[in-house]
Amino acid sequence: MITVLQFGGSNCDRDAVRALDHLGIDAERVWFEDGLPADTDGIVLPGGFSYGDYLRAGAMAARAPVMAEVRERAAAGTPVLGICNGAQIGSESGLTPGAFTTNASARFQCEHVHLRVENADTPWTAAYEEGDVVEFPIAHGEGRFEATDEELARLDEEERVLFRYCDAEGDVTDMANPNGSAGNVAGVLGERDTVAVLMPHPERATLPDLHAGTDGQGVLRGFSH
Amino acid sequence: MTAYTATVTVRLKQGVLDPEAETTKRALERLGFDLEGLRSADRFEVDLDADSPEAATDRADEMAERLLANPTIHDYDVHVTER
């Protein structure tokens, strides 16, 4: 069972369950204070505005007791995927490197973006080829990936960048960078490739009847490998 | 035990873009003010009891390390006064 952790202020938890169900992957919402169910074999940290984004987006949820369980499971190999606010929670809790902070535009960006698949050799990107261009929605005010140049170089070297913002042709440019992310990074891996976070929403590009495309399915299928 | 207030100031590291400060600066300029730059910071005033100013500082330091600041993007400083 995939556990979709619902924090106070999560609002993409139902979407994640719907999208996973559509792919035939069993998922259930679990209230964060109830802890991880014993039969958890994958964890989604969903999008939303946990704790009203107090202090910094994801900062409070990252210190909730359940996250100690999540870190333990992640270290033991349980797949963990953080989406949008879940990505912020993941980075704030040290599951993944870098930080997500205020968009360079200082605006909430709600739009479709193109992403280039940087590493197709992970559970989350196995459905794609390296260099593929996919289209996902984004909806965030604090999605600018920040890391030092040394950290960025290390992430590159260790092939831990999953996706970069790019244009429709797959060129990684400043113009195609919706939030000013360092290196156009849209999603990264944790210490192991079973742990990943990304700001764009694969669960919003999974159900065919939403007319947002189905490019996101590949990411969610990471739970079925 | 002595009563202290630890003032923790958290600011973005040098070189990290601060879009909110940029926006605020532009708004001040629109109001006709002349300014060269503007930086914003978060200030937390923590009331606590401790055996010494050093102990109060250590505790506030740990608060900053573990929650108030994000070491990836922030610097912080702690200033302790008797309350």
Side-chain angles (χ1 to χ4, degrees):
Chain A
M1 180 68 71
I2 306 304
T3 294
V4 178
L5 268 185
Q6 180 195 18
F7 294 91
S10 297
N11 65 10
C12 300
D13 41 312
R14 288 167 194 270
D15 309 51
V17 171
R18 278 278 303 275
L20 288 163
D21 277 351
H22 177 78
L23 300 176
I25 300 168
D26 282 339
E28 64 174 354
R29 282 193 302 152
V30 174
W31 179 241
F32 76 108
E33 287 180 319
D34 295 340
L36 292 178
D39 65 350
T40 298
D41 44 29
I43 300 163
V44 175
L45 304 172
F49 299 88
S50 56
Y51 292 84
D53 281 351
Y54 288 175
L55 192 62
R56 295 178 301 276
M60 295 296 170
R63 274 86 181 168
V66 71
M67 287 305 295
E69 292 181 60
V70 173
R71 281 193 295 272
E72 218 168 90
R73 290 296 203 103
T78 300
V80 179
L81 177 67
I83 303 168
C84 197
N85 187 224
Q88 296 159 336
I89 295 169
S91 81
E92 277 281 343
S93 68
L95 280 171
T96 54
F100 293 102
T101 187
T102 313
N103 293 348
S105 63
R107 291 194 175 94
F108 191 90
Q109 306 274 148
C110 187
E111 60 204 52
H112 281 233
V113 297
H114 292 103
L115 305 172
R116 192 174 76 187
V117 178
E118 297 296 302
N119 177 2
D121 192 20
T122 82
W124 316 104
T125 50
Y128 316 107
E129 300 288 333
E130 190 179 318
D132 273 1
V133 177
V134 293
E135 189 179 330
F136 286 20
I138 57 166
H140 58 244
E142 298 178 41
R144 172 168 57 102
F145 184 74
E146 271 293 341
T148 62
D149 291 344
E150 297 79 56
E151 281 173 314
L152 277 178
R154 186 172 58 87
L155 292 177
D156 267 335
E157 200 180 291
E158 297 174 358
E159 300 192 317
R160 285 166 67 183
V161 177
L162 283 178
F163 297 105
R164 287 183 208 276
Y165 299 106
C166 66
D167 62 21
E169 280 72 48
D171 292 323
V172 174
T173 65
D174 288 346
M175 277 291 285
N177 189 344
N179 52 25
S181 286
N184 284 43
V185 170
V188 289
L189 291 174
E191 294 287 329
R192 25 191 337 160
D193 71 358
T194 44
V195 177
V197 301
L198 75 168
M199 288 308 298
H201 285 275
E203 84 285 17
R204 294 189 190 179
T206 290
L207 301 175
D209 48 353
L210 290 183
H211 302 288
T214 55
D215 285 355
Q217 292 186 0
V219 172
L220 300 184
R221 285 192 200 282
F223 285 113
S224 58
H225 291 296
Chain B
M1 297 284 254
T2 310
Y4 295 99
T5 296
T7 301
V8 182
T9 306
V10 178
R11 49 174 67 81
L12 285 169
K13 282 181 177 167
Q14 190 94 34
V16 176
L17 180 70
D18 187 346
E20 290 177 2
E22 281 302 311
T23 306
T24 308
K25 174 173 178 281
R26 280 201 302 277
L28 285 169
E29 285 165 344
R30 265 202 306 278
L31 290 170
F33 290 105
D34 194 13
L35 67 161
E36 293 305 311
L38 181 152
R39 288 164 297 285
S40 65
D42 289 325
R43 188 169 90 160
F44 304 88
E45 294 171 2
V46 186
D47 295 338
L48 44 84
D49 296 334
D51 289 333
S52 65
E54 292 74 26
T57 303
D58 287 350
R59 206 185 307 162
D61 265 332
E62 199 182 342
M63 291 178 192
E65 292 283 342
R66 293 186 53 191
L67 176 64
L68 300 178
N70 179 335
T72 304
I73 51 174
H74 291 133
D75 286 328
Y76 68 88
D77 57 57
V78 174
H79 184 66
V80 168
T81 53
E82 271 188 43
R83 152 165 68 93

